Short mmCIF file of all heavy atoms in Angstrom, two decimals:
data_model
loop_
_atom_site.label_atom_id
_atom_site.label_comp_id
_atom_site.label_asym_id
_atom_site.label_seq_id
_atom_site.Cartn_x
_atom_site.Cartn_y
_atom_site.Cartn_z
N MET A 121 -6.10 -40.83 1.22
CA MET A 121 -6.62 -40.96 -0.14
C MET A 121 -8.08 -41.43 -0.06
O MET A 121 -8.40 -42.38 0.62
CB MET A 121 -5.77 -41.97 -0.91
CG MET A 121 -6.23 -42.16 -2.33
SD MET A 121 -5.25 -43.36 -3.28
CE MET A 121 -3.66 -42.61 -3.28
N SER A 122 -8.95 -40.75 -0.80
CA SER A 122 -10.35 -41.12 -0.80
C SER A 122 -10.56 -42.35 -1.67
O SER A 122 -9.71 -42.72 -2.47
CB SER A 122 -11.21 -39.97 -1.34
OG SER A 122 -11.03 -39.84 -2.73
N THR A 123 -11.72 -42.99 -1.52
CA THR A 123 -12.05 -44.15 -2.34
C THR A 123 -12.06 -43.77 -3.81
O THR A 123 -11.58 -44.52 -4.66
CB THR A 123 -13.43 -44.70 -1.93
OG1 THR A 123 -13.38 -45.03 -0.55
CG2 THR A 123 -13.77 -45.94 -2.74
N GLU A 124 -12.58 -42.57 -4.14
CA GLU A 124 -12.64 -42.13 -5.53
C GLU A 124 -11.24 -42.02 -6.13
O GLU A 124 -10.98 -42.44 -7.24
CB GLU A 124 -13.36 -40.80 -5.62
CG GLU A 124 -13.60 -40.34 -7.06
CD GLU A 124 -14.47 -39.09 -7.11
OE1 GLU A 124 -15.59 -39.14 -6.59
OE2 GLU A 124 -14.01 -38.10 -7.64
N GLN A 125 -10.29 -41.48 -5.36
CA GLN A 125 -8.92 -41.36 -5.84
C GLN A 125 -8.29 -42.72 -6.03
O GLN A 125 -7.54 -42.95 -6.96
CB GLN A 125 -8.08 -40.52 -4.88
CG GLN A 125 -8.41 -39.05 -4.90
CD GLN A 125 -7.67 -38.29 -3.82
OE1 GLN A 125 -7.54 -38.76 -2.70
NE2 GLN A 125 -7.16 -37.12 -4.17
N ALA A 126 -8.57 -43.66 -5.12
CA ALA A 126 -7.97 -44.99 -5.19
C ALA A 126 -8.42 -45.73 -6.45
O ALA A 126 -7.67 -46.53 -6.98
CB ALA A 126 -8.33 -45.79 -3.96
N LEU A 127 -9.64 -45.47 -6.95
CA LEU A 127 -10.16 -46.18 -8.11
C LEU A 127 -9.83 -45.47 -9.42
O LEU A 127 -10.06 -46.00 -10.48
CB LEU A 127 -11.67 -46.33 -7.99
CG LEU A 127 -12.16 -47.17 -6.82
CD1 LEU A 127 -13.67 -47.16 -6.75
CD2 LEU A 127 -11.64 -48.59 -6.93
N LYS A 128 -9.27 -44.29 -9.35
CA LYS A 128 -8.99 -43.52 -10.55
C LYS A 128 -7.88 -44.17 -11.36
O LYS A 128 -6.88 -44.64 -10.81
CB LYS A 128 -8.58 -42.10 -10.15
CG LYS A 128 -8.50 -41.15 -11.29
CD LYS A 128 -8.29 -39.74 -10.76
CE LYS A 128 -8.22 -38.76 -11.91
NZ LYS A 128 -8.04 -37.39 -11.40
N THR A 129 -8.05 -44.19 -12.67
CA THR A 129 -7.04 -44.71 -13.57
C THR A 129 -6.36 -43.54 -14.27
O THR A 129 -7.03 -42.62 -14.72
CB THR A 129 -7.68 -45.65 -14.61
OG1 THR A 129 -8.32 -46.72 -13.93
CG2 THR A 129 -6.64 -46.20 -15.56
N LYS A 130 -5.05 -43.60 -14.33
CA LYS A 130 -4.28 -42.51 -14.92
C LYS A 130 -3.61 -43.01 -16.20
O LYS A 130 -3.00 -44.09 -16.20
CB LYS A 130 -3.22 -42.06 -13.91
CG LYS A 130 -2.29 -40.97 -14.39
CD LYS A 130 -1.38 -40.59 -13.23
CE LYS A 130 -0.04 -40.13 -13.69
NZ LYS A 130 0.88 -39.90 -12.58
N ILE A 131 -3.71 -42.25 -17.28
CA ILE A 131 -3.06 -42.58 -18.55
C ILE A 131 -2.13 -41.44 -18.90
O ILE A 131 -2.57 -40.29 -19.04
CB ILE A 131 -4.09 -42.82 -19.67
CG1 ILE A 131 -5.02 -43.96 -19.29
CG2 ILE A 131 -3.38 -43.11 -20.99
CD1 ILE A 131 -6.18 -44.18 -20.26
N THR A 132 -0.86 -41.75 -19.06
CA THR A 132 0.14 -40.75 -19.37
C THR A 132 0.74 -41.04 -20.75
O THR A 132 1.18 -42.16 -21.01
CB THR A 132 1.28 -40.77 -18.33
OG1 THR A 132 0.72 -40.61 -17.03
CG2 THR A 132 2.30 -39.67 -18.59
N ILE A 133 0.74 -40.05 -21.62
CA ILE A 133 1.33 -40.20 -22.95
C ILE A 133 2.79 -39.78 -22.86
O ILE A 133 3.10 -38.62 -22.58
CB ILE A 133 0.58 -39.32 -23.98
CG1 ILE A 133 -0.90 -39.68 -24.01
CG2 ILE A 133 1.22 -39.47 -25.36
CD1 ILE A 133 -1.75 -38.71 -24.81
N LEU A 134 3.69 -40.71 -23.09
CA LEU A 134 5.10 -40.38 -23.06
C LEU A 134 5.53 -39.81 -24.40
O LEU A 134 5.11 -40.30 -25.45
CB LEU A 134 5.94 -41.61 -22.74
CG LEU A 134 5.74 -42.23 -21.36
CD1 LEU A 134 6.78 -43.34 -21.12
CD2 LEU A 134 5.83 -41.19 -20.25
N PRO A 135 6.35 -38.76 -24.41
CA PRO A 135 6.81 -38.19 -25.67
C PRO A 135 7.51 -39.24 -26.52
O PRO A 135 8.42 -39.93 -26.04
CB PRO A 135 7.79 -37.10 -25.23
CG PRO A 135 7.48 -36.83 -23.80
CD PRO A 135 6.93 -38.10 -23.23
N ASN A 136 7.06 -39.39 -27.77
CA ASN A 136 7.68 -40.34 -28.70
C ASN A 136 7.72 -41.77 -28.16
O ASN A 136 8.65 -42.52 -28.48
CB ASN A 136 9.09 -39.88 -29.10
CG ASN A 136 9.11 -38.48 -29.62
OD1 ASN A 136 8.23 -38.09 -30.38
ND2 ASN A 136 10.07 -37.69 -29.22
N GLY A 137 6.73 -42.12 -27.34
CA GLY A 137 6.74 -43.45 -26.73
C GLY A 137 5.34 -43.94 -26.40
O GLY A 137 4.36 -43.50 -27.00
N PRO A 138 5.24 -44.87 -25.46
CA PRO A 138 3.99 -45.55 -25.18
C PRO A 138 3.02 -44.74 -24.32
O PRO A 138 3.35 -43.65 -23.83
CB PRO A 138 4.45 -46.79 -24.41
CG PRO A 138 5.66 -46.32 -23.68
CD PRO A 138 6.35 -45.37 -24.63
N LEU A 139 1.85 -45.34 -24.12
CA LEU A 139 0.88 -44.85 -23.14
C LEU A 139 1.13 -45.63 -21.86
O LEU A 139 1.12 -46.86 -21.87
CB LEU A 139 -0.55 -45.12 -23.60
CG LEU A 139 -1.00 -44.51 -24.93
CD1 LEU A 139 -2.37 -45.07 -25.30
CD2 LEU A 139 -1.04 -43.01 -24.84
N ILE A 140 1.33 -44.94 -20.76
CA ILE A 140 1.48 -45.59 -19.47
C ILE A 140 0.11 -45.58 -18.78
O ILE A 140 -0.44 -44.50 -18.55
CB ILE A 140 2.52 -44.88 -18.59
CG1 ILE A 140 3.86 -44.77 -19.31
CG2 ILE A 140 2.66 -45.59 -17.24
CD1 ILE A 140 4.49 -46.09 -19.66
N VAL A 141 -0.41 -46.75 -18.48
CA VAL A 141 -1.71 -46.88 -17.82
C VAL A 141 -1.46 -47.37 -16.40
O VAL A 141 -0.83 -48.41 -16.20
CB VAL A 141 -2.63 -47.86 -18.57
CG1 VAL A 141 -4.00 -47.92 -17.91
CG2 VAL A 141 -2.76 -47.46 -20.03
N GLU A 142 -1.96 -46.58 -15.43
CA GLU A 142 -1.77 -46.93 -14.02
C GLU A 142 -3.11 -46.89 -13.31
O GLU A 142 -3.93 -46.03 -13.57
CB GLU A 142 -0.85 -45.91 -13.34
CG GLU A 142 0.53 -45.82 -13.96
CD GLU A 142 1.32 -44.66 -13.38
OE1 GLU A 142 1.93 -44.85 -12.31
OE2 GLU A 142 1.31 -43.58 -14.00
N GLY A 143 -3.30 -47.83 -12.39
CA GLY A 143 -4.51 -47.84 -11.59
C GLY A 143 -5.25 -49.15 -11.71
O GLY A 143 -4.66 -50.19 -11.94
N ASP A 144 -6.57 -49.05 -11.59
CA ASP A 144 -7.42 -50.22 -11.63
C ASP A 144 -8.00 -50.34 -13.03
O ASP A 144 -8.78 -49.49 -13.46
CB ASP A 144 -8.53 -50.07 -10.59
CG ASP A 144 -9.41 -51.30 -10.49
OD1 ASP A 144 -8.99 -52.38 -10.96
OD2 ASP A 144 -10.52 -51.17 -9.95
N PHE A 145 -7.61 -51.36 -13.78
CA PHE A 145 -8.09 -51.52 -15.16
C PHE A 145 -7.99 -52.98 -15.57
O PHE A 145 -7.27 -53.76 -14.96
CB PHE A 145 -7.27 -50.65 -16.13
CG PHE A 145 -5.81 -51.01 -16.13
CD1 PHE A 145 -5.34 -52.03 -16.95
CD2 PHE A 145 -4.91 -50.36 -15.31
CE1 PHE A 145 -4.00 -52.38 -16.94
CE2 PHE A 145 -3.57 -50.70 -15.30
CZ PHE A 145 -3.12 -51.72 -16.11
N ASP A 146 -8.71 -53.32 -16.60
CA ASP A 146 -8.58 -54.61 -17.28
C ASP A 146 -8.34 -54.32 -18.75
O ASP A 146 -8.94 -53.39 -19.31
CB ASP A 146 -9.86 -55.45 -17.18
CG ASP A 146 -10.14 -55.93 -15.77
OD1 ASP A 146 -9.17 -56.09 -15.00
OD2 ASP A 146 -11.31 -56.13 -15.45
N ILE A 147 -7.51 -55.10 -19.40
CA ILE A 147 -7.37 -55.04 -20.84
C ILE A 147 -8.08 -56.27 -21.40
O ILE A 147 -7.75 -57.40 -21.04
CB ILE A 147 -5.89 -55.03 -21.26
CG1 ILE A 147 -5.22 -53.77 -20.72
CG2 ILE A 147 -5.77 -55.10 -22.78
CD1 ILE A 147 -3.74 -53.68 -21.00
N ILE A 148 -9.08 -56.01 -22.24
CA ILE A 148 -9.90 -57.09 -22.78
C ILE A 148 -9.34 -57.52 -24.13
O ILE A 148 -9.20 -56.70 -25.04
CB ILE A 148 -11.37 -56.63 -22.96
CG1 ILE A 148 -11.88 -55.95 -21.68
CG2 ILE A 148 -12.25 -57.80 -23.38
CD1 ILE A 148 -11.88 -56.81 -20.46
N SER A 149 -9.01 -58.79 -24.28
CA SER A 149 -8.48 -59.30 -25.54
C SER A 149 -9.62 -59.51 -26.52
O SER A 149 -10.79 -59.50 -26.14
CB SER A 149 -7.72 -60.60 -25.29
OG SER A 149 -8.61 -61.60 -24.86
N PRO A 150 -9.31 -59.72 -27.81
CA PRO A 150 -10.37 -59.89 -28.82
C PRO A 150 -11.33 -61.04 -28.50
O PRO A 150 -12.49 -60.99 -28.90
CB PRO A 150 -9.58 -60.17 -30.11
CG PRO A 150 -8.29 -59.45 -29.90
CD PRO A 150 -7.98 -59.64 -28.44
N ASP A 151 -10.88 -62.06 -27.77
CA ASP A 151 -11.78 -63.17 -27.44
C ASP A 151 -12.60 -62.90 -26.17
O ASP A 151 -13.33 -63.78 -25.70
CB ASP A 151 -11.01 -64.48 -27.32
CG ASP A 151 -10.09 -64.53 -26.11
OD1 ASP A 151 -10.07 -63.57 -25.31
OD2 ASP A 151 -9.37 -65.53 -25.96
N GLY A 152 -12.46 -61.71 -25.61
CA GLY A 152 -13.25 -61.32 -24.45
C GLY A 152 -12.62 -61.61 -23.11
O GLY A 152 -13.16 -61.26 -22.07
N SER A 153 -11.46 -62.26 -23.10
CA SER A 153 -10.81 -62.57 -21.82
C SER A 153 -10.06 -61.35 -21.30
O SER A 153 -9.73 -60.43 -22.05
CB SER A 153 -9.84 -63.74 -21.97
OG SER A 153 -8.68 -63.33 -22.65
N THR A 154 -9.82 -61.36 -20.01
CA THR A 154 -9.08 -60.26 -19.39
C THR A 154 -7.71 -60.72 -18.91
O THR A 154 -7.08 -60.05 -18.10
CB THR A 154 -9.86 -59.67 -18.21
OG1 THR A 154 -10.09 -60.71 -17.25
CG2 THR A 154 -11.18 -59.07 -18.64
N GLU A 155 -7.26 -61.86 -19.39
CA GLU A 155 -6.01 -62.43 -18.89
C GLU A 155 -4.78 -61.63 -19.28
O GLU A 155 -3.72 -61.81 -18.71
CB GLU A 155 -5.85 -63.86 -19.39
CG GLU A 155 -6.91 -64.77 -18.80
CD GLU A 155 -6.85 -66.18 -19.36
OE1 GLU A 155 -5.86 -66.49 -20.04
OE2 GLU A 155 -7.78 -66.94 -19.11
N MET A 156 -4.90 -60.74 -20.26
CA MET A 156 -3.74 -59.99 -20.73
C MET A 156 -3.12 -59.13 -19.65
O MET A 156 -1.91 -59.06 -19.54
CB MET A 156 -4.11 -59.09 -21.92
CG MET A 156 -4.50 -59.84 -23.15
SD MET A 156 -4.90 -58.71 -24.47
CE MET A 156 -3.40 -58.84 -25.42
N ALA A 157 -3.92 -58.46 -18.86
CA ALA A 157 -3.35 -57.54 -17.88
C ALA A 157 -4.20 -57.41 -16.63
O ALA A 157 -4.06 -56.46 -15.90
CB ALA A 157 -3.15 -56.17 -18.50
N GLN A 158 -5.05 -58.33 -16.38
CA GLN A 158 -5.92 -58.25 -15.21
C GLN A 158 -5.08 -58.26 -13.94
O GLN A 158 -4.18 -59.08 -13.79
CB GLN A 158 -6.89 -59.42 -15.19
CG GLN A 158 -7.96 -59.29 -14.14
CD GLN A 158 -9.00 -60.39 -14.26
OE1 GLN A 158 -8.68 -61.49 -14.69
NE2 GLN A 158 -10.22 -60.09 -13.90
N GLY A 159 -5.36 -57.32 -13.07
CA GLY A 159 -4.67 -57.27 -11.79
C GLY A 159 -3.38 -56.51 -11.79
O GLY A 159 -2.82 -56.25 -10.74
N LYS A 160 -2.88 -56.12 -12.95
CA LYS A 160 -1.66 -55.33 -12.99
C LYS A 160 -1.97 -53.89 -12.63
O LYS A 160 -3.03 -53.38 -12.97
CB LYS A 160 -1.01 -55.38 -14.37
CG LYS A 160 -0.40 -56.74 -14.69
CD LYS A 160 0.37 -56.67 -15.99
CE LYS A 160 1.01 -58.01 -16.30
NZ LYS A 160 1.76 -57.98 -17.56
N GLY A 161 -1.07 -53.22 -12.00
CA GLY A 161 -1.29 -51.85 -11.62
C GLY A 161 -0.68 -50.84 -12.56
O GLY A 161 -1.00 -49.65 -12.51
N LYS A 162 0.19 -51.31 -13.47
CA LYS A 162 0.84 -50.37 -14.38
C LYS A 162 1.32 -51.14 -15.61
O LYS A 162 1.98 -52.17 -15.48
CB LYS A 162 2.03 -49.71 -13.69
CG LYS A 162 2.74 -48.67 -14.53
CD LYS A 162 3.84 -48.01 -13.72
CE LYS A 162 4.55 -46.94 -14.50
NZ LYS A 162 5.62 -46.29 -13.69
N VAL A 163 0.94 -50.63 -16.80
CA VAL A 163 1.42 -51.22 -18.05
C VAL A 163 1.77 -50.10 -19.03
O VAL A 163 1.29 -48.97 -18.90
CB VAL A 163 0.38 -52.16 -18.72
CG1 VAL A 163 0.11 -53.38 -17.87
CG2 VAL A 163 -0.88 -51.43 -19.07
N ALA A 164 2.58 -50.44 -20.00
CA ALA A 164 2.91 -49.52 -21.10
C ALA A 164 2.31 -50.09 -22.37
O ALA A 164 2.61 -51.22 -22.75
CB ALA A 164 4.42 -49.37 -21.24
N LEU A 165 1.43 -49.32 -23.01
CA LEU A 165 0.77 -49.76 -24.24
C LEU A 165 1.41 -49.08 -25.44
O LEU A 165 1.60 -47.86 -25.45
CB LEU A 165 -0.72 -49.41 -24.20
CG LEU A 165 -1.53 -50.08 -23.08
CD1 LEU A 165 -2.99 -49.61 -23.15
CD2 LEU A 165 -1.45 -51.59 -23.17
N CYS A 166 1.72 -49.90 -26.44
CA CYS A 166 2.37 -49.40 -27.65
C CYS A 166 1.44 -48.47 -28.43
O CYS A 166 0.26 -48.74 -28.57
CB CYS A 166 2.76 -50.58 -28.53
SG CYS A 166 3.47 -50.12 -30.11
N ARG A 167 1.99 -47.39 -28.95
CA ARG A 167 1.23 -46.55 -29.88
C ARG A 167 2.02 -46.29 -31.15
O ARG A 167 1.60 -45.51 -32.00
CB ARG A 167 0.75 -45.26 -29.22
CG ARG A 167 1.80 -44.27 -28.83
CD ARG A 167 1.14 -43.10 -28.08
NE ARG A 167 2.17 -42.17 -27.67
CZ ARG A 167 2.30 -40.93 -28.12
NH1 ARG A 167 1.43 -40.45 -28.99
NH2 ARG A 167 3.27 -40.17 -27.69
N CYS A 168 3.15 -46.98 -31.32
CA CYS A 168 3.92 -46.82 -32.55
C CYS A 168 3.63 -47.95 -33.55
O CYS A 168 3.90 -47.80 -34.73
CB CYS A 168 5.41 -46.78 -32.25
SG CYS A 168 6.15 -48.38 -31.87
N GLY A 169 3.12 -49.09 -33.06
CA GLY A 169 2.79 -50.22 -33.92
C GLY A 169 3.94 -51.18 -34.16
O GLY A 169 3.75 -52.20 -34.82
N ALA A 170 5.13 -50.91 -33.65
CA ALA A 170 6.30 -51.74 -33.96
C ALA A 170 6.58 -52.84 -32.94
O ALA A 170 7.43 -53.69 -33.18
CB ALA A 170 7.54 -50.85 -34.09
N THR A 171 5.88 -52.84 -31.83
CA THR A 171 6.15 -53.83 -30.79
C THR A 171 5.91 -55.26 -31.28
O THR A 171 5.06 -55.50 -32.14
CB THR A 171 5.28 -53.56 -29.55
OG1 THR A 171 5.63 -54.51 -28.53
CG2 THR A 171 3.80 -53.70 -29.86
N GLN A 172 6.65 -56.19 -30.71
CA GLN A 172 6.46 -57.61 -31.01
C GLN A 172 5.59 -58.28 -29.96
O GLN A 172 5.40 -59.51 -30.02
CB GLN A 172 7.82 -58.31 -31.10
CG GLN A 172 8.70 -57.78 -32.24
CD GLN A 172 8.03 -57.94 -33.60
OE1 GLN A 172 7.65 -59.04 -33.98
NE2 GLN A 172 7.86 -56.83 -34.32
N SER A 173 5.09 -57.52 -28.98
CA SER A 173 4.25 -58.10 -27.93
C SER A 173 2.99 -57.27 -27.73
O SER A 173 2.70 -56.82 -26.62
CB SER A 173 5.04 -58.22 -26.63
OG SER A 173 5.46 -56.95 -26.19
N LYS A 174 2.26 -57.04 -28.81
CA LYS A 174 1.04 -56.22 -28.76
C LYS A 174 0.05 -56.76 -27.73
O LYS A 174 -0.08 -57.97 -27.63
CB LYS A 174 0.39 -56.17 -30.14
CG LYS A 174 1.21 -55.37 -31.12
CD LYS A 174 0.60 -55.36 -32.50
CE LYS A 174 1.51 -54.53 -33.40
NZ LYS A 174 1.28 -54.71 -34.80
N PRO A 175 -0.57 -55.88 -26.99
CA PRO A 175 -0.60 -54.42 -27.15
C PRO A 175 0.46 -53.70 -26.32
O PRO A 175 0.40 -52.48 -26.19
CB PRO A 175 -2.00 -54.07 -26.63
CG PRO A 175 -2.21 -55.05 -25.52
CD PRO A 175 -1.54 -56.33 -25.98
N PHE A 176 1.43 -54.42 -25.79
CA PHE A 176 2.37 -53.80 -24.85
C PHE A 176 3.61 -53.26 -25.56
O PHE A 176 4.08 -53.82 -26.55
CB PHE A 176 2.77 -54.82 -23.78
CG PHE A 176 1.59 -55.40 -23.06
CD1 PHE A 176 1.16 -56.69 -23.32
CD2 PHE A 176 0.87 -54.64 -22.15
CE1 PHE A 176 0.06 -57.22 -22.69
CE2 PHE A 176 -0.24 -55.15 -21.51
CZ PHE A 176 -0.66 -56.45 -21.78
N CYS A 177 4.15 -52.21 -25.02
CA CYS A 177 5.39 -51.62 -25.52
C CYS A 177 6.56 -52.54 -25.17
O CYS A 177 6.65 -53.03 -24.05
CB CYS A 177 5.59 -50.25 -24.85
SG CYS A 177 7.19 -49.48 -25.19
N ASP A 178 7.43 -52.78 -26.14
CA ASP A 178 8.64 -53.56 -25.86
C ASP A 178 9.90 -52.75 -26.12
O ASP A 178 10.99 -53.31 -26.20
CB ASP A 178 8.65 -54.85 -26.70
CG ASP A 178 8.80 -54.60 -28.19
OD1 ASP A 178 8.86 -53.43 -28.62
OD2 ASP A 178 8.87 -55.59 -28.94
N GLY A 179 9.76 -51.45 -26.27
CA GLY A 179 10.90 -50.57 -26.50
C GLY A 179 11.24 -50.35 -27.97
O GLY A 179 12.14 -49.58 -28.29
N SER A 180 10.52 -51.00 -28.87
CA SER A 180 10.80 -50.89 -30.30
C SER A 180 10.65 -49.47 -30.83
O SER A 180 11.25 -49.11 -31.85
CB SER A 180 9.90 -51.82 -31.11
OG SER A 180 10.19 -53.16 -30.83
N HIS A 181 9.85 -48.64 -30.16
CA HIS A 181 9.66 -47.25 -30.62
C HIS A 181 10.99 -46.51 -30.72
O HIS A 181 11.18 -45.69 -31.61
CB HIS A 181 8.68 -46.51 -29.70
CG HIS A 181 9.09 -46.44 -28.28
ND1 HIS A 181 8.78 -47.41 -27.35
CD2 HIS A 181 9.84 -45.52 -27.62
CE1 HIS A 181 9.30 -47.09 -26.17
NE2 HIS A 181 9.94 -45.95 -26.32
N SER A 182 11.91 -46.83 -29.83
CA SER A 182 13.23 -46.17 -29.88
C SER A 182 14.02 -46.63 -31.10
O SER A 182 14.67 -45.82 -31.75
CB SER A 182 14.03 -46.50 -28.61
OG SER A 182 13.39 -45.94 -27.48
N LYS A 183 13.93 -47.93 -31.40
CA LYS A 183 14.69 -48.48 -32.53
C LYS A 183 14.22 -47.91 -33.86
O LYS A 183 15.02 -47.73 -34.77
CB LYS A 183 14.57 -50.01 -32.54
CG LYS A 183 15.20 -50.67 -31.34
CD LYS A 183 14.97 -52.18 -31.38
CE LYS A 183 15.26 -52.77 -30.02
NZ LYS A 183 14.57 -54.03 -29.79
N ILE A 184 12.89 -47.67 -33.99
CA ILE A 184 12.37 -47.18 -35.26
C ILE A 184 12.33 -45.65 -35.33
O ILE A 184 11.95 -45.09 -36.35
CB ILE A 184 10.96 -47.75 -35.55
CG1 ILE A 184 9.93 -47.21 -34.56
CG2 ILE A 184 11.00 -49.28 -35.59
CD1 ILE A 184 8.48 -47.47 -34.98
N GLY A 185 12.69 -44.99 -34.23
CA GLY A 185 12.68 -43.53 -34.22
C GLY A 185 11.29 -42.93 -34.25
O GLY A 185 11.07 -41.89 -34.87
N PHE A 186 10.33 -43.58 -33.55
CA PHE A 186 8.95 -43.11 -33.53
C PHE A 186 8.86 -41.68 -33.02
O PHE A 186 9.46 -41.32 -32.00
CB PHE A 186 8.10 -44.03 -32.63
CG PHE A 186 6.69 -43.55 -32.42
CD1 PHE A 186 5.77 -43.54 -33.46
CD2 PHE A 186 6.27 -43.11 -31.17
CE1 PHE A 186 4.46 -43.12 -33.27
CE2 PHE A 186 4.96 -42.68 -30.96
CZ PHE A 186 4.06 -42.69 -32.02
N LYS A 187 8.13 -40.84 -33.76
CA LYS A 187 7.87 -39.45 -33.36
C LYS A 187 6.37 -39.25 -33.31
O LYS A 187 5.68 -39.62 -34.25
CB LYS A 187 8.48 -38.46 -34.37
CG LYS A 187 9.98 -38.60 -34.55
CD LYS A 187 10.72 -38.11 -33.36
CE LYS A 187 12.22 -38.22 -33.61
NZ LYS A 187 12.97 -38.37 -32.38
N ASP A 188 5.90 -38.65 -32.23
CA ASP A 188 4.45 -38.42 -32.12
C ASP A 188 4.07 -37.04 -32.61
O ASP A 188 4.87 -36.30 -33.08
CB ASP A 188 3.96 -38.65 -30.71
CG ASP A 188 4.65 -37.76 -29.68
OD1 ASP A 188 5.41 -36.86 -30.07
OD2 ASP A 188 4.41 -37.98 -28.49
S1 LIG B 326 5.43 -47.42 -28.22
FE1 LIG B 326 7.02 -48.67 -27.47
S2 LIG B 326 7.12 -50.28 -28.89
FE2 LIG B 326 5.54 -49.02 -29.66
#
């Protein structure tokens, strides 16, 4: 794997579900800190708005029947 490939970030849109973010990334909170997800290699970000742990998916999209 080249250095360029190792640094690449991949975002996958799951059907009727979250965005899966994999790779090297930081999620910056409104106060400017990166403590939310710094150093993690894979997270699921909510795109239905129903999660109780924003910005992360907690599976609520299934309960509300979210359709994209
Ligand atoms: S996409 Fe999973 S809780 Fe919103």
Side-chain angles (χ1 to χ4, degrees):
M121 180 180 298
S122 72
T123 302
E124 186 173 302
Q125 288 174 319
L127 296 176
K128 190 172 181 179
T129 301
K130 178 176 149 186
I131 300 173
T132 305
I133 303 170
L134 295 187
N136 306 318
L139 301 172
I140 305 298
V141 183
E142 300 172 84
D144 184 18
F145 60 86
D146 292 333
I147 297 177
I148 311 300
S149 66
D151 69 2
S153 74
T154 58
E155 294 175 11
M156 294 180 103
Q158 190 174 30
K160 289 187 178 180
K162 183 176 181 179
V163 295
L165 298 179
C166 176
R167 67 185 178 115
C168 76
T171 183
Q172 296 301 304
S173 61
K174 291 178 180 164
F176 304 105
C177 172
D178 67 358
S180 294
H181 59 272
S182 295
K183 295 177 195 156
I184 67 167
F186 174 68
K187 301 289 182 207
D188 58 7

